[in-house]
Amino acid sequence: MTDDEKWIAVQSNDSNYDRRFYYAVKTTGIFCRPSCSSRVPNRDNTLFFSTPEEAIDAGFRPCKRCRPDLVSYEPAAQEAQRVKKLLDTFYRDPDELTQKFSTSGLSEHRLCELFKEQYHMTVSAYLQNRRLDAAKTALTDSDAPIIEIAWDTGFTSLSTFYRIFKRTTGTTPNRFRKDKGDKTYE
C-alpha cells in the first residue's frame, strides 16, 4: 500500500484500514487510526506506521479519541457495561442509582440510550426485571413480609410492586409464595 493510498484512507476516515496502518501528526505528537474523527492534518505533517509500537518508538503518543493503542475500542459499549454494573449494584436503592448516574459525566438520557443500543432493552425494563428476580427469590427463600420485600428490592410503592409483579408473573406475590412453597414440599 502506498503512502498516497494511506492518505486517501485518512482523509475519508476509512475504518477498513484500521489496524493495517497508523498515522502520526508531527505538529501534535499524536498518532491515530485511519478512521479517527479528529480533524484531518496537513499532509506535510503526516507520517505512517505499520504498528502502534513503531509510532510510540518514534516518540508519538496515542490519540485519546480513537485509542489506536488498544486492539478494540468501543466507548459506547464500555459505557453501557458500566451502566449495567451500576444497575446490578444499586437496583435496590433508586436514590443512590440516580446519584451515581449524575456523576458519570453524561446525561441520564444519553446513558439510557447507550444502554438500549447495547442491550436492546430500556434501563427501566432491565431494572424492573432485576427487581422482580430479586423479589421472587426473596418470596421463595424467606418469610419476610411482602411489603418489606418490595422495599428491599427497590420498588418505591407497594401498589407498583403488586401491579408489576402480577402483570409479569400472572399471579400475586402472596400466591407466588404459596405456590412455590407448596411445590417444594411435594
Side-chain angles (χ1 to χ4, degrees):
M1 174 183 318
T2 68
D3 283 356
D4 288 337
E5 291 173 314
K6 292 175 183 177
W7 178 243
I8 291 169
V10 169
Q11 287 179 306
S12 59
N13 301 105
D14 194 338
S15 62
N16 293 320
Y17 291 92
D18 282 357
R19 295 179 30 174
R20 292 179 61 193
F21 75 91
Y22 300 84
Y23 74 94
V25 182
K26 296 177 199 174
T27 54
T28 63
I30 295 172
F31 74 98
C32 298
R33 298 171 191 261
S35 65
C36 186
S37 60
S38 296
R39 191 175 66 143
V40 178
N42 183 323
R43 174 69 175 99
D44 295 334
N45 295 328
T46 307
L47 299 172
F48 298 104
F49 297 96
S50 298
T51 66
E53 292 78 18
E54 286 178 11
I56 291 169
D57 289 345
F60 294 94
R61 60 185 167 81
C63 172
K64 291 182 180 178
R65 182 175 287 164
C66 69
R67 297 302 307 264
D69 54 326
L70 302 176
V71 173
S72 82
Y73 180 58
E74 298 178 47
Q78 291 173 351
E79 194 63 31
Q81 290 169 354
R82 193 183 69 74
V83 168
K84 183 178 182 294
K85 187 175 180 179
L86 285 174
L87 295 172
D88 288 339
T89 304
F90 298 105
Y91 72 93
R92 296 173 188 264
D93 189 348
D95 294 333
E96 182 73 15
L97 187 57
T98 300
Q99 199 261 332
K100 293 292 185 187
F101 273 5
S102 70
T103 61
S104 72
L106 294 173
S107 71
E108 189 170 333
H109 178 74
R110 182 63 182 140
L111 291 173
C112 291
E113 284 178 339
L114 293 172
F115 185 87
K116 188 172 184 180
E117 288 170 12
Q118 182 71 24
Y119 295 105
H120 309 291
M121 70 172 18
T122 65
V123 166
S124 59
Y126 183 82
L127 266 177
Q128 178 179 302
N129 290 340
R130 186 73 176 90
R131 290 172 176 155
L132 280 172
D133 288 344
K136 288 177 192 177
T137 300
L139 286 167
T140 57
D141 295 350
S142 77
D143 293 328
I146 290 173
I147 191 169
E148 188 178 302
I149 290 171
W151 295 128
D152 287 347
T153 56
F155 287 93
T156 55
S157 80
L158 190 59
S159 61
T160 301
F161 173 65
Y162 268 92
R163 182 176 36 81
I164 291 172
F165 195 93
K166 186 162 187 178
R167 185 182 68 221
T168 306
T169 64
T171 188
T172 65
N174 195 33
R175 179 87 266 157
F176 181 86
R177 175 180 264 169
K178 288 179 181 174
D179 289 348
K180 292 296 177 181
D182 291 344
K183 291 177 184 173
T184 58
Y185 296 110
E186 290 178 354

